[in-house]
Amino acid sequence: MSEFRIHAVNVLVIGAGGAGLRAAVAAAEAGCEVLVVGKRARLDAHTVLAAGGINAVLGSRDPEDTWEQHFADTYKEGYGLGNPEMIEILVREAPRAVQELADWGAPFVRLPDGRLDQRYFGAHTFRRTCFAGDWTGRAMLKTLASKSEGIPLRERFYVTSLLEADGACFGAFGFDLDSGERTAIYADAVVLATGGHTRLWRRSSSRRDENTGDGMSLALRAGCTLADLELVQFHPTGMLTPEEAAGTLVTEAVRGEGGRLFNGLGERFMERYDAERMELSTRDRVALACYTEIAEGRSGPNGGVFLDISHVEKAVILDRLPRMYRQFLEYQLLDISRTPMEVAPTAHYSMGGVVVDPASTDTGVAGLFAAGEVTAGVHGANRLGGNSLAETVVFGRRAGESAAAHARAAVLASRPRDVVAAANAQVASLIRSGNEFVRPMQRDLRDLMWERCGVVRDEDGLKNALAGIQELIARVADADVAPTAEGYDDLAHVLDLRGSLLVADATVRGALARRETRGAHNRSDYPALAEPVTLEFTSDRGLRARAVPTLAPELARLVELTPDHEANGRLLE
């Protein structure tokens, strides 16, 4: 199949999760013709796995909460690497975004007086996490899908490249995963909302074939700058068994509702790591604590620690944690109201990603905008639970509005035929016989990243990871790609792997260059904090350090880093 179709729209949104759909709604409301494309089926984007809640300062439970305190919590627990302007936009606009979702029908839990209920999440000063049981992401996505019902959404469409010429993006090229039909989609503006790269690790809360770093790879090849890819959040609690469920998220809401962590000796071990906040400490601290207990031999029979909610009434568990209750019954025949869950850290969230302008989400490539987990800037070196869902709708709306404004102002764009022809030829060239199979190579990469660039890292391991990535790059050139009557998933897998290797290489290079322990980045050979920098990566210049933006004086007094930020390093010494 050498021919391809051409489709033209004002705004193309790549990604059908929370950020993508919110961008689509905003662009459509601005009067633009919008098309959304997604790899998965409608209502099955990764957003559905975001369980615990969405943050906004509403004061429902704690009236003394303020946007300034939300800013301080986010910036401080990001270890001073978050972009202050992006954080301020997030915390100021989150209340409007959450209320908007509620007005559109999101079934958030409410207090008897009708206000939205809020619960604690780790490292928040006040209760500011709104929720719909423990399936908040799914509830949000259904709400956004309903709101965007009139906007065309093309399911199972794989984007192979962004169409770019002379520093401007004029669309994307891709193919249908079922028929293999290729399409060049011309657009006056493009929004990238493709998620992160946590599926590069052996244990991950992402499902197969999602969060492979494909959006970051698309952006890098189109001329965007990536930053801080080495800053990956390992959620403290993922499932261990069965094998097909390894890494599946056990939501922080379990700890928010009173869950306690114990090691294999029955010790409530968080007393040793953060006696004040215990299980509601920051995710990086709890993850490192779980890792340390396991590494030092105090694990359970499956190599994990135990999360216990059995002291909470079963009725409360069924009301507040229905998804977790079903999840363990379905996978392990385990009743969490009676029996502790064995858990271990799992790769969960990409704090780094595409560098964007905070206000407009402009990527620096004209006509290309980005929002959600694919971007860098909000979370610094450690993300607060509940901030990611808020980020999707706050910056998704801004990306859609900016894309619409760009599209409305656009003159007839250059659409060089040679760029489109090259994109088509690249796809065609990958369909060939070979001696290597993609799935085993994907597993090899995930094992390599887990073992050499995981919760705790060192220089020797990272250098081994770089060498292993180069070996895989050589092997993938001989990949066997043979689409069948069942579809073109083989082609998507090899493209995923190629993009994953590009992003993994940038991630490991960042981890080598960041010679410190900061937030989720733990270097056993560099346990102390260094001067805070953002590590930016481009395809032409490679890696370079940039100073982080300074704080306004009125905010700086709230977020001074304390000796507690050295605690992770002390654990590694």
Side-chain angles (χ1 to χ4, degrees):
M1 182 184 293
S2 59
E3 299 301 317
F4 57 88
R5 296 177 62 240
I6 293 176
H7 186 90
V9 293
N10 296 135
V11 175
L12 171 64
V13 178
I14 304 173
L21 291 188
R22 187 63 188 88
V25 170
E29 288 180 341
C32 287
E33 181 186 0
V34 181
L35 173 65
V36 181
V37 297
K39 291 194 297 185
R40 305 180 78 91
R42 187 187 298 264
L43 294 179
D44 194 35
H46 182 71
T47 302
V48 302
L49 299 186
I54 178 170
N55 295 333
V57 175
L58 303 179
S60 301
R61 290 279 187 176
D62 298 313
E64 61 271 39
D65 198 8
T66 63
W67 73 261
E68 291 92 343
Q69 189 59 57
H70 190 184
F71 178 99
D73 290 348
T74 301
Y75 185 86
K76 181 178 178 180
E77 300 311 337
Y79 286 71
L81 288 191
N83 182 298
E85 186 179 352
M86 290 189 78
I87 297 172
E88 184 169 346
I89 289 170
L90 174 75
V91 301
R92 279 183 176 271
E93 296 184 6
R96 167 191 165 179
V98 170
Q99 188 58 57
E100 187 174 62
L101 288 168
D103 292 343
W104 292 346
F108 294 125
V109 173
R110 293 180 181 267
L111 294 169
D113 63 6
R115 291 177 300 155
L116 300 182
D117 198 1
Q118 298 186 282
R119 62 183 168 200
Y120 276 120
F121 253 35
H124 288 276
T125 302
F126 298 107
R127 289 169 287 189
R128 62 171 70 102
T129 305
C130 302
F131 59 98
D134 58 353
W135 51 284
T136 308
R138 183 176 296 277
M140 282 178 54
L141 196 65
K142 284 185 175 180
T143 301
L144 289 167
S146 177
K147 182 68 177 177
S148 62
E149 193 170 8
I151 300 172
L153 191 158
R154 189 166 178 182
E155 301 176 349
R156 286 185 54 76
F157 186 85
Y158 191 100
V159 173
T160 62
S161 58
L162 296 173
L163 299 175
E164 178 270 334
D166 300 323
C169 181
F170 63 92
F173 193 90
F175 65 93
D176 185 282
L177 282 162
D178 295 317
S179 68
E181 182 181 61
R182 299 174 204 155
T183 305
I185 304 174
Y186 295 151
D188 298 315
V190 176
V191 175
L192 197 62
T194 50
H197 69 315
T198 54
R199 187 67 186 176
L200 301 191
W201 281 263
R202 175 69 185 85
R203 285 184 187 156
S204 170
S205 60
S206 297
R207 299 167 296 186
R208 179 183 270 194
D209 302 327
E210 67 181 8
N211 287 332
T212 60
D214 51 347
M216 296 168 178
S217 171
L218 290 172
L220 188 64
R221 290 187 283 119
C224 295
T225 299
L226 305 183
D228 299 333
L229 294 186
E230 72 281 359
L231 299 178
V232 173
Q233 182 169 83
F234 291 85
H235 196 286
T237 55
M239 294 183 73
L240 282 164
T241 60
E243 174 63 22
E244 65 267 23
T248 299
L249 182 68
V250 181
T251 174
E252 187 168 320
V254 176
R255 287 176 285 128
E257 296 296 337
R260 301 166 181 167
L261 286 165
F262 297 89
N263 61 22
L265 303 178
E267 300 169 326
R268 195 173 174 190
F269 59 84
M270 282 307 300
E271 294 176 350
R272 290 197 286 272
Y273 302 95
D274 192 337
E276 180 179 349
R277 295 180 293 188
M278 296 293 286
E279 286 82 7
L280 291 179
S281 183
T282 57
R283 284 184 176 176
D284 63 302
R285 184 73 48 79
V286 182
L288 183 57
C290 293
Y291 174 90
T292 302
E293 293 298 308
I294 294 165
E296 294 183 354
R298 295 184 291 276
S299 64
N302 295 302
V305 294
F306 295 97
L307 177 59
D308 188 10
I309 194 74
S310 63
H311 56 283
V312 175
E313 291 184 12
K314 184 172 184 177
V316 174
I317 294 173
L318 292 176
D319 178 52
R320 300 280 187 145
L321 303 167
R323 181 174 175 175
M324 289 300 102
Y325 187 82
R326 291 195 308 272
Q327 181 172 300
F328 276 88
L329 278 179
E330 291 171 3
Y331 279 119
Q332 297 181 4
L333 300 179
L334 186 146
D335 182 349
I336 66 172
S337 71
R338 297 182 179 184
T339 308
M341 303 157 265
E342 192 172 2
V343 297
T346 181
H348 181 55
Y349 193 86
S350 305
M351 270 87 73
V354 181
V355 176
V356 296
D357 174 73
S360 69
T361 76
D362 187 338
T363 65
V365 173
L368 179 61
F369 305 85
E373 190 176 353
V374 73
T375 64
V378 172
H379 308 291
N382 180 53
R383 177 175 70 80
L384 287 183
N387 271 357
S388 60
L389 287 180
E391 178 188 23
T392 65
V393 285
V394 167
F395 289 100
R397 177 183 63 80
R398 281 178 169 260
E401 291 174 348
S402 296
H406 183 89
R408 290 196 306 270
V411 295
L412 186 62
S414 172
R415 296 169 177 170
R417 291 184 179 181
D418 60 329
V419 174
V420 183
N424 182 47
Q426 183 223 13
V427 177
S429 70
L430 294 175
I431 301 175
R432 61 176 184 266
S433 297
N435 297 309
E436 293 278 1
F437 295 97
V438 173
R439 284 303 194 199
M441 287 189 283
Q442 286 179 319
R443 173 59 67 90
D444 290 346
L445 176 61
R446 295 177 67 210
D447 285 342
L448 183 69
M449 293 296 283
W450 183 260
E451 294 165 6
R452 304 300 185 187
C453 190
V455 178
V456 177
R457 307 153 177 186
D458 62 32
E459 185 160 346
D460 289 343
L462 293 168
K463 287 181 175 179
N464 287 338
L466 276 183
I469 289 168
Q470 293 306 309
E471 291 175 6
L472 284 167
I473 289 173
R475 288 172 58 192
V476 78
D478 193 26
D480 186 82
V481 180
T484 69
E486 295 182 353
Y488 280 67
D489 290 297
D490 252 18
L491 180 56
H493 296 161
V494 74
L495 286 160
D496 271 347
L497 180 56
R498 284 170 170 261
S500 293
L501 288 166
L502 181 64
V503 173
D505 181 76
T507 299
V508 174
R509 292 184 188 279
L512 270 168
R514 190 172 290 284
R515 295 184 170 184
E516 64 171 344
T517 288
R518 183 181 293 270
H521 176 68
N522 297 297
R523 285 286 298 263
S524 60
D525 48 349
Y526 291 97
L529 284 171
E531 285 297 311
V533 295
T534 289
L535 296 177
E536 295 185 340
F537 188 88
T538 58
S539 57
D540 58 341
R541 294 190 300 270
L543 198 69
R544 62 179 182 177
R546 180 175 58 81
V548 298
T550 57
L551 283 174
E554 63 271 19
L555 294 173
R557 62 181 177 81
L558 294 173
V559 295
E560 181 181 0
L561 300 189
T562 68
D564 183 61
H565 284 81
E566 296 276 7
N568 288 3
R570 291 195 295 272
L571 293 174
L572 296 171
E573 291 176 337

